[in-house]
Short mmCIF file of all heavy atoms in Angstrom, two decimals:
data_model
loop_
_atom_site.label_atom_id
_atom_site.label_comp_id
_atom_site.label_asym_id
_atom_site.label_seq_id
_atom_site.Cartn_x
_atom_site.Cartn_y
_atom_site.Cartn_z
N ASN E 1 95.85 93.57 112.96
CA ASN E 1 94.91 93.76 111.86
C ASN E 1 95.63 94.30 110.67
O ASN E 1 95.36 93.91 109.49
CB ASN E 1 93.73 94.67 112.25
CG ASN E 1 92.90 94.07 113.30
OD1 ASN E 1 92.54 94.59 114.28
ND2 ASN E 1 92.39 92.78 113.04
N SER E 2 96.40 95.32 110.77
CA SER E 2 97.14 95.88 109.64
C SER E 2 98.17 94.85 109.14
O SER E 2 98.39 94.79 107.87
CB SER E 2 97.84 97.28 110.06
OG SER E 2 98.75 97.10 111.09
N THR E 3 98.73 94.12 110.00
CA THR E 3 99.74 93.09 109.54
C THR E 3 99.01 91.99 108.65
O THR E 3 99.56 91.68 107.60
CB THR E 3 100.36 92.39 110.76
OG1 THR E 3 101.13 93.40 111.43
CG2 THR E 3 101.26 91.34 110.25
N GLU E 4 97.79 91.61 109.01
CA GLU E 4 97.08 90.68 108.19
C GLU E 4 96.75 91.23 106.83
O GLU E 4 96.93 90.64 105.84
CB GLU E 4 95.83 90.20 108.88
CG GLU E 4 94.98 89.21 108.14
CD GLU E 4 93.74 88.77 108.86
OE1 GLU E 4 93.88 88.02 109.79
OE2 GLU E 4 92.61 89.11 108.43
N PHE E 5 96.31 92.51 106.78
CA PHE E 5 95.95 93.19 105.56
C PHE E 5 97.21 93.28 104.67
O PHE E 5 97.24 92.99 103.47
CB PHE E 5 95.39 94.57 105.93
CG PHE E 5 95.18 95.47 104.66
CD1 PHE E 5 94.49 95.00 103.49
CD2 PHE E 5 95.74 96.74 104.59
CE1 PHE E 5 94.34 95.83 102.42
CE2 PHE E 5 95.53 97.55 103.54
CZ PHE E 5 94.87 97.15 102.42
N ILE E 6 98.32 93.69 105.24
CA ILE E 6 99.57 93.82 104.54
C ILE E 6 100.02 92.43 103.99
O ILE E 6 100.48 92.36 102.82
CB ILE E 6 100.72 94.42 105.47
CG1 ILE E 6 100.40 95.96 105.67
CG2 ILE E 6 102.04 94.34 104.73
CD1 ILE E 6 101.17 96.43 106.93
N ASP E 7 99.98 91.43 104.75
CA ASP E 7 100.41 90.10 104.32
C ASP E 7 99.54 89.59 103.19
O ASP E 7 100.07 89.06 102.21
CB ASP E 7 100.26 89.09 105.52
CG ASP E 7 101.31 89.26 106.55
OD1 ASP E 7 102.34 90.02 106.33
OD2 ASP E 7 101.23 88.66 107.64
N LYS E 8 98.28 89.90 103.14
CA LYS E 8 97.48 89.53 102.08
C LYS E 8 97.79 90.14 100.77
O LYS E 8 97.95 89.50 99.75
CB LYS E 8 95.96 89.75 102.33
CG LYS E 8 95.28 88.70 103.29
CD LYS E 8 93.84 89.00 103.43
CE LYS E 8 93.16 87.94 104.34
NZ LYS E 8 91.73 88.07 104.48
N VAL E 9 98.02 91.45 100.86
CA VAL E 9 98.36 92.25 99.66
C VAL E 9 99.73 91.90 99.08
O VAL E 9 99.89 91.77 97.94
CB VAL E 9 98.29 93.78 99.91
CG1 VAL E 9 98.65 94.51 98.67
CG2 VAL E 9 96.87 94.17 100.35
N CYS E 10 100.68 91.61 100.06
CA CYS E 10 102.06 91.16 99.63
C CYS E 10 101.93 89.91 98.81
O CYS E 10 102.56 89.64 97.85
CB CYS E 10 102.93 91.01 100.82
SG CYS E 10 103.55 92.55 101.50
N LYS E 11 101.13 88.92 99.29
CA LYS E 11 101.01 87.62 98.61
C LYS E 11 100.31 87.84 97.31
O LYS E 11 100.68 87.18 96.29
CB LYS E 11 100.21 86.66 99.46
CG LYS E 11 100.96 86.06 100.64
CD LYS E 11 100.21 85.09 101.45
CE LYS E 11 101.04 84.55 102.61
NZ LYS E 11 100.36 83.59 103.50
N MET E 12 99.28 88.74 97.27
CA MET E 12 98.55 88.98 96.01
C MET E 12 99.48 89.57 94.93
O MET E 12 99.42 89.33 93.70
CB MET E 12 97.44 89.96 96.30
CG MET E 12 96.26 89.31 97.06
SD MET E 12 95.05 90.47 97.46
CE MET E 12 93.73 89.47 98.02
N GLU E 13 100.36 90.56 95.41
CA GLU E 13 101.19 91.26 94.51
C GLU E 13 102.58 90.62 94.24
O GLU E 13 103.35 91.08 93.37
CB GLU E 13 101.44 92.77 94.98
CG GLU E 13 100.21 93.61 94.91
CD GLU E 13 100.00 94.18 93.56
OE1 GLU E 13 100.61 93.65 92.57
OE2 GLU E 13 99.15 95.06 93.48
N GLY E 14 102.94 89.59 95.03
CA GLY E 14 104.26 88.97 94.84
C GLY E 14 105.34 89.90 95.48
O GLY E 14 106.38 89.92 94.94
N ALA E 15 104.98 90.54 96.55
CA ALA E 15 105.87 91.47 97.16
C ALA E 15 106.48 90.88 98.43
O ALA E 15 105.95 89.93 99.04
CB ALA E 15 105.21 92.75 97.59
N GLU E 16 107.67 91.47 98.96
CA GLU E 16 108.34 90.97 100.14
C GLU E 16 107.79 91.69 101.40
O GLU E 16 107.74 91.00 102.42
CB GLU E 16 109.78 91.20 100.00
CG GLU E 16 110.44 90.45 98.88
CD GLU E 16 111.90 90.81 98.57
OE1 GLU E 16 112.34 91.84 99.10
OE2 GLU E 16 112.58 89.98 97.91
N ALA E 17 107.45 92.87 101.30
CA ALA E 17 107.00 93.63 102.52
C ALA E 17 106.10 94.79 102.19
O ALA E 17 105.99 95.14 101.00
CB ALA E 17 108.29 94.22 103.21
N GLY E 18 105.51 95.36 103.17
CA GLY E 18 104.55 96.48 102.87
C GLY E 18 104.21 97.30 104.11
O GLY E 18 104.73 96.90 105.21
N PHE E 19 103.51 98.36 103.92
CA PHE E 19 103.06 99.23 105.01
C PHE E 19 101.74 99.72 104.71
O PHE E 19 101.46 100.21 103.49
CB PHE E 19 103.98 100.33 105.30
CG PHE E 19 103.67 101.10 106.59
CD1 PHE E 19 104.17 100.53 107.78
CD2 PHE E 19 102.99 102.27 106.71
CE1 PHE E 19 103.95 101.21 109.02
CE2 PHE E 19 102.61 102.86 107.85
CZ PHE E 19 103.07 102.36 109.03
N ALA E 20 100.80 99.76 105.55
CA ALA E 20 99.35 100.26 105.38
C ALA E 20 99.22 101.64 105.93
O ALA E 20 99.60 101.96 107.01
CB ALA E 20 98.39 99.34 105.95
N PHE E 21 98.50 102.47 105.15
CA PHE E 21 98.33 103.91 105.42
C PHE E 21 96.86 104.30 105.61
O PHE E 21 96.02 103.61 105.20
CB PHE E 21 98.94 104.72 104.23
CG PHE E 21 100.45 104.45 104.07
CD1 PHE E 21 100.91 103.57 103.20
CD2 PHE E 21 101.35 105.26 104.68
CE1 PHE E 21 102.32 103.33 103.07
CE2 PHE E 21 102.76 105.11 104.51
CZ PHE E 21 103.19 104.10 103.64
N ALA E 22 96.72 105.48 106.18
CA ALA E 22 95.34 106.01 106.50
C ALA E 22 94.54 106.39 105.19
O ALA E 22 93.32 106.39 105.23
CB ALA E 22 95.48 107.19 107.37
N SER E 23 95.21 106.60 104.12
CA SER E 23 94.59 106.86 102.82
C SER E 23 95.48 106.57 101.68
O SER E 23 96.76 106.35 101.83
CB SER E 23 94.20 108.39 102.76
OG SER E 23 95.27 109.21 102.62
N GLY E 24 94.97 106.56 100.42
CA GLY E 24 95.78 106.29 99.32
C GLY E 24 96.85 107.44 99.07
O GLY E 24 97.99 107.20 98.79
N MET E 25 96.49 108.61 99.34
CA MET E 25 97.42 109.70 99.14
C MET E 25 98.46 109.74 100.29
O MET E 25 99.61 110.17 100.06
CB MET E 25 96.68 111.15 99.09
CG MET E 25 95.99 111.40 97.75
SD MET E 25 97.14 111.13 96.31
CE MET E 25 98.47 112.23 96.70
N ALA E 26 98.15 109.30 101.43
CA ALA E 26 99.09 109.12 102.50
C ALA E 26 100.20 108.13 102.06
O ALA E 26 101.40 108.24 102.35
CB ALA E 26 98.52 108.69 103.86
N ALA E 27 99.75 107.09 101.37
CA ALA E 27 100.67 106.09 100.81
C ALA E 27 101.62 106.70 99.77
O ALA E 27 102.81 106.45 99.74
CB ALA E 27 99.90 104.92 100.24
N VAL E 28 100.96 107.48 98.79
CA VAL E 28 101.84 108.08 97.75
C VAL E 28 102.81 109.02 98.36
O VAL E 28 104.05 109.01 98.01
CB VAL E 28 100.91 108.86 96.80
CG1 VAL E 28 101.70 109.69 95.81
CG2 VAL E 28 100.04 107.90 95.97
N TYR E 29 102.35 109.99 99.16
CA TYR E 29 103.21 110.96 99.82
C TYR E 29 104.35 110.37 100.65
O TYR E 29 105.49 110.62 100.43
CB TYR E 29 102.39 111.93 100.68
CG TYR E 29 103.24 112.84 101.49
CD1 TYR E 29 103.84 114.03 100.87
CD2 TYR E 29 103.54 112.69 102.84
CE1 TYR E 29 104.66 114.89 101.56
CE2 TYR E 29 104.38 113.54 103.59
CZ TYR E 29 104.95 114.66 102.93
OH TYR E 29 105.72 115.46 103.67
N SER E 30 104.01 109.43 101.52
CA SER E 30 104.95 108.81 102.42
C SER E 30 106.01 108.11 101.67
O SER E 30 107.15 108.04 102.01
CB SER E 30 104.28 107.99 103.49
OG SER E 30 103.38 108.74 104.25
N THR E 31 105.55 107.33 100.64
CA THR E 31 106.50 106.56 99.90
C THR E 31 107.57 107.38 99.14
O THR E 31 108.71 107.06 99.21
CB THR E 31 105.73 105.69 98.80
OG1 THR E 31 104.80 104.84 99.51
CG2 THR E 31 106.63 104.78 97.98
N PHE E 32 107.08 108.44 98.51
CA PHE E 32 108.11 109.34 97.85
C PHE E 32 108.93 110.00 98.84
O PHE E 32 110.19 110.07 98.65
CB PHE E 32 107.25 110.36 97.02
CG PHE E 32 106.85 109.87 95.65
CD1 PHE E 32 105.66 109.19 95.42
CD2 PHE E 32 107.67 110.04 94.58
CE1 PHE E 32 105.30 108.72 94.19
CE2 PHE E 32 107.36 109.59 93.26
CZ PHE E 32 106.13 108.95 93.12
N VAL E 33 108.40 110.60 99.86
CA VAL E 33 109.30 111.37 100.83
C VAL E 33 110.25 110.46 101.48
O VAL E 33 111.38 110.89 101.79
CB VAL E 33 108.36 112.14 101.78
CG1 VAL E 33 109.21 112.87 102.80
CG2 VAL E 33 107.43 113.09 101.11
N ALA E 34 109.85 109.25 101.77
CA ALA E 34 110.79 108.31 102.43
C ALA E 34 112.04 108.01 101.55
O ALA E 34 113.10 107.71 101.99
CB ALA E 34 110.09 107.02 102.76
N LEU E 35 111.86 108.05 100.23
CA LEU E 35 112.91 107.60 99.32
C LEU E 35 113.67 108.83 98.69
O LEU E 35 114.75 108.60 98.20
CB LEU E 35 112.28 106.76 98.13
CG LEU E 35 111.53 105.52 98.65
CD1 LEU E 35 110.93 104.84 97.48
CD2 LEU E 35 112.49 104.58 99.22
N LEU E 36 113.11 110.04 98.71
CA LEU E 36 113.67 111.12 98.07
C LEU E 36 114.53 111.99 98.95
O LEU E 36 114.33 112.07 100.12
CB LEU E 36 112.58 112.05 97.47
CG LEU E 36 111.81 111.53 96.27
CD1 LEU E 36 110.60 112.29 96.00
CD2 LEU E 36 112.70 111.39 95.03
N GLU E 37 115.51 112.70 98.38
CA GLU E 37 116.32 113.65 99.03
C GLU E 37 116.32 114.94 98.29
O GLU E 37 115.94 114.91 97.12
CB GLU E 37 117.79 113.20 99.19
CG GLU E 37 117.90 111.89 100.01
CD GLU E 37 119.38 111.36 100.02
OE1 GLU E 37 120.24 112.14 99.56
OE2 GLU E 37 119.55 110.26 100.47
N ALA E 38 116.68 116.07 98.94
CA ALA E 38 116.66 117.38 98.26
C ALA E 38 117.57 117.26 97.04
O ALA E 38 118.64 116.77 97.01
CB ALA E 38 117.17 118.45 99.13
N GLY E 39 117.02 117.89 95.91
CA GLY E 39 117.77 117.77 94.59
C GLY E 39 117.45 116.59 93.71
O GLY E 39 117.87 116.60 92.59
N ASP E 40 116.66 115.62 94.33
CA ASP E 40 116.25 114.51 93.41
C ASP E 40 115.23 114.88 92.35
O ASP E 40 114.62 115.94 92.42
CB ASP E 40 115.69 113.40 94.25
CG ASP E 40 116.82 112.58 95.01
OD1 ASP E 40 117.99 112.75 94.63
OD2 ASP E 40 116.50 111.89 95.92
#
C-alpha cells in the first residue's frame, strides 16, 4: 500500500524515488536528519 502511494506521488512530481511517513512533520524531520551531520 505504501509502495503504491509512493509510486503515484513520484509520477506526479517527476521524482525517481520516495518514502512515506506517519505525518508531514515526520517527513520534514527524517529528511533533514538523514542528510545532515553535526556542524552543517
Side-chain angles (χ1 to χ4, degrees):
N1 294 127
S2 57
T3 297
E4 181 178 288
F5 172 54
I6 292 164
D7 287 348
K8 283 188 181 183
V9 178
C10 284
K11 287 182 179 181
M12 291 173 167
E13 288 283 11
E16 296 173 343
F19 192 83
F21 298 88
S23 70
M25 282 312 302
V28 173
Y29 173 78
S30 300
T31 300
F32 274 88
V33 176
L35 300 173
L36 291 167
E37 298 175 13
D40 283 344

